[in-house]
Amino acid sequence: MPASAPGPRPRPAFDPEGFEGPLEIPRTILAAMVDHCLRENPRECCGLLGGVPPRASSFHPLRNVAPTAETRYDADPRDLIEAVVDLRRRDAEILAIYHSHPRWEAVPSRTDLDQNHYGAVPRIIVSLLSSPPVVRVWRLGRDDFQEIPWTPTDDETLHDPPAGE
């Protein structure tokens, strides 16, 4: 049998532990994320940014199903599954998780640390205390947090087309 040519090597999985930034967020995605936060105000909102490190290429707003949504967020499990399926279809990763702080600064709260179910995946917090809203990116630990640099980019792609389209 003839030897077949090797296919493309798979991209290594995103290791958020080693990601120091800057996280690149296209202006269209940044605007969509901030608009989502403003629309949900006074409730906290949540969602994901997907892509290939370091650049986000997709925006996935999720419904907040927390019973106390004015001060907490809990992503709708169906929305989360749909977002992850979409990211896998694109061969993309969860690059960041975002949520809003309608009444607080864009700094992780004790609840944010306690409810950290995604380890070192960068967290974007959008504070709605000022206009324009303040956007900051963090890596959360068990009892601490570290700010990660981010930069807006001029890339106008909001979503990569799914494979096969």
Side-chain angles (χ1 to χ4, degrees):
M1 295 181 80
S4 61
R9 291 187 358 189
R11 179 176 42 78
F14 176 46
D15 175 17
E17 232 8 273
F19 183 71
E20 298 295 327
L23 178 64
E24 298 173 4
I25 306 174
R27 292 181 203 291
T28 51
I29 290 176
L30 179 63
M33 179 180 67
V34 170
D35 285 347
H36 180 219
C37 295
L38 292 169
R39 276 193 322 273
E40 293 297 318
N41 192 18
R43 297 166 45 92
E44 288 196 9
C45 79
C46 56
L48 306 174
L49 299 187
V52 176
R55 184 174 299 240
S57 62
S58 64
F59 161 74
H60 305 270
L62 306 173
R63 286 175 289 179
N64 181 356
V65 296
T68 55
E70 289 76 24
T71 57
R72 303 283 186 267
Y73 74 94
D74 188 13
D76 181 285
R78 290 172 297 227
D79 291 354
L80 183 56
I81 290 168
E82 287 176 18
V84 170
V85 167
D86 183 58
L87 291 171
R88 285 184 181 161
R89 185 174 60 230
R90 297 167 196 264
D91 194 29
E93 306 273 352
I94 296 174
L95 288 189
I97 298 167
Y98 73 87
H99 76 280
S100 63
H101 278 182
R103 296 185 193 98
W104 297 280
E105 298 294 330
V107 176
S109 68
R110 179 74 245 169
T111 301
D112 293 333
L113 297 176
D114 291 342
Q115 299 296 314
N116 179 11
H117 303 296
Y118 283 83
V121 171
R123 302 307 169 88
I124 300 170
I125 300 177
V126 180
S127 173
L128 303 179
L129 289 177
S130 63
S131 182
V134 173
V135 177
R136 295 175 76 182
V137 182
W138 304 92
R139 174 177 294 113
L140 306 184
R142 185 178 203 75
D143 292 308
D144 61 356
F145 45 88
Q146 171 190 3
E147 193 158 14
I148 298 174
W150 70 278
T151 185
T153 66
D154 290 328
D155 181 357
E156 295 300 317
T157 301
L158 184 57
H159 289 283
D160 294 328
E165 287 187 12

